[in-house]
Amino acid sequence: MKTYTRPYIIVFVTQTVDGRIGFRGKRTLLSSYRDLERMYYLRRNVDAVVIGANTVVVDDPILAPRPLDSAPKKPYRVIIDGNLTIPLSAKVLDTRILPTIIFTSSKFLGTSKARKLFENNVLLEFLEPLDETNRIDLAEAFEVLYKKYHVDKVLVQGGGRLIGELIIKGLVDELIVSLSPKIIGLNGTPSINIELNRIIELKLESIQVDHMTGEVVLVYRAV
Ligand SMILES: NC(=O)c1ccc[n+]([C@@H]2O[C@H](COP(=O)([O-])OP(=O)(O)OC[C@H]3O[C@@H](n4cnc5c(N)ncnc54)[C@H](OP(=O)(O)O)[C@@H]3O)[C@@H](O)[C@H]2O)c1
């Protein structure tokens, strides 16, 4: 099996007590202003912020650190979108704010959507798909980020399917779970949305209790 070099990968997720990150298909605010501040701090200190295509569709985030001017680094915004489904109107495609990279299947090379994205100054990386559903190899994508874009540290911000795949493939160095004092039940998307037939052990590194907002921030490392 080919081994890839890659950046240091931090996953930050805000989830409910019942392990959900939002109602399915609906933008759901779970974070307090202090939680958002923790997230912006992380964004200010990485070279790239990565999300899955469905998070763009549901949340339409700008994905920038705030305040933008105070960020020591100007992170790339990176979308994993094997089927190139994100809408051209997505806020993350406004490259006047920050550069945006989309990793997609090589099947979309030369399509009109790819051309429109190029015209918008979006950086497109085409990878050979792993299967007919256009899954791409995340380890390969991270190697491209590391070698071509000099990305040493990334922050992955969801959603659940992307986080699940990263965990199962051993591509997470640090997992930060901000536990929001809320429950949303079975109509919510799981924070780690993948089938696992084994137990993955983590090492707890720190716990921070935010008494003002009731959040508990758990920092884990891969064992
Ligand atoms: N609370 C939080 O901190 C937080 C943060 C982010 C998002 N969210 C919520 O999470 C939800 C979205 O999460 P989600 O689990 O549905 O989706 P997601 O992880 O954002 O995106 C999954 C999609 O990304 C593409 N993708 C991921 N890995 C891929 C790979 N290896 N190769 C090719 N394509 C890949 C696939 O698109 P295709 O299926 O089209 O191929 C996949 O369906 C939203 O409700 C959002 O509000 C919450």
Side-chain angles (χ1 to χ4, degrees):
M1 202 171 80
K2 187 172 188 281
T3 50
Y4 291 99
T5 45
R6 63 168 178 84
Y8 186 80
I9 300 174
I10 303 169
V11 170
F12 177 88
V13 63
T14 301
Q15 67 173 53
T16 59
V17 170
D18 54 334
R20 310 279 157 171
I21 52 174
F23 287 112
R24 279 175 215 279
K26 191 172 149 202
R27 187 166 190 219
T28 314
L29 184 65
L30 296 176
S31 302
S32 67
Y33 72 100
R34 285 166 66 89
D35 195 45
L36 290 175
E37 196 36 63
R38 282 189 281 272
M39 185 262 283
Y40 290 134
Y41 172 81
L42 287 167
R43 280 190 191 169
R44 287 197 294 268
N45 288 286
V46 292
D47 306 300
V49 182
V50 183
I51 54 173
N54 201 30
T55 296
V56 176
V57 172
V58 176
D59 292 354
D60 195 16
I62 297 174
L63 219 61
R66 288 193 206 164
L68 188 55
D69 293 342
S70 73
K73 297 183 176 186
K74 299 279 181 277
Y76 288 103
R77 297 170 301 175
V78 178
I79 318 298
I80 309 294
D81 188 4
N83 282 295
L84 207 57
T85 52
I86 66 165
L88 290 166
S89 59
K91 291 188 184 122
V92 74
L93 298 178
D94 184 350
T95 53
R96 291 169 301 182
I97 305 167
L98 285 172
T100 301
I101 306 171
I102 300 177
F103 282 90
T104 190
S105 157
S106 53
K107 207 176 101 184
F108 297 99
L109 188 65
T111 59
S112 68
K113 186 157 185 184
R115 267 199 301 281
K116 281 185 190 136
L117 289 163
F118 272 129
E119 283 161 13
N120 236 3
N121 298 319
V122 173
L123 302 157
L124 280 165
E125 290 294 339
F126 298 98
L127 303 185
E128 203 53 48
L130 297 173
D131 59 25
E132 67 290 347
T133 69
N134 292 319
R135 308 234 54 76
I136 54 167
D137 186 342
L138 295 176
E140 190 183 352
F142 281 116
E143 182 170 79
V144 172
L145 283 179
Y146 183 73
K147 287 192 172 164
K148 182 168 171 185
Y149 296 96
H150 309 291
V151 165
D152 291 329
K153 199 192 251 191
V154 307
L155 176 68
V156 178
Q157 280 206 246
R161 288 181 61 188
L162 178 61
I163 296 174
E165 194 177 330
L166 291 173
I167 286 180
I168 213 168
K169 299 218 163 120
L171 291 172
V172 177
D173 296 297
E174 198 173 324
L175 172 63
I176 308 176
V177 178
S178 178
L179 206 55
S180 173
K182 298 179 176 73
I183 292 172
I184 63 173
L186 287 179
N187 286 334
T189 299
S191 57
I192 296 172
N193 199 357
I194 200 150
E195 277 189 34
L196 270 180
N197 297 314
R198 62 192 161 100
I199 293 172
I200 293 181
E201 304 274 353
L202 300 169
K203 181 176 174 293
L204 181 64
E205 173 116 328
S206 70
I207 301 180
Q208 187 194 331
V209 180
D210 190 327
H211 291 286
M212 277 180 75
T213 55
E215 283 135 7
V216 178
V217 183
L218 302 151
V219 180
Y220 297 98
R221 278 190 196 281
V223 180

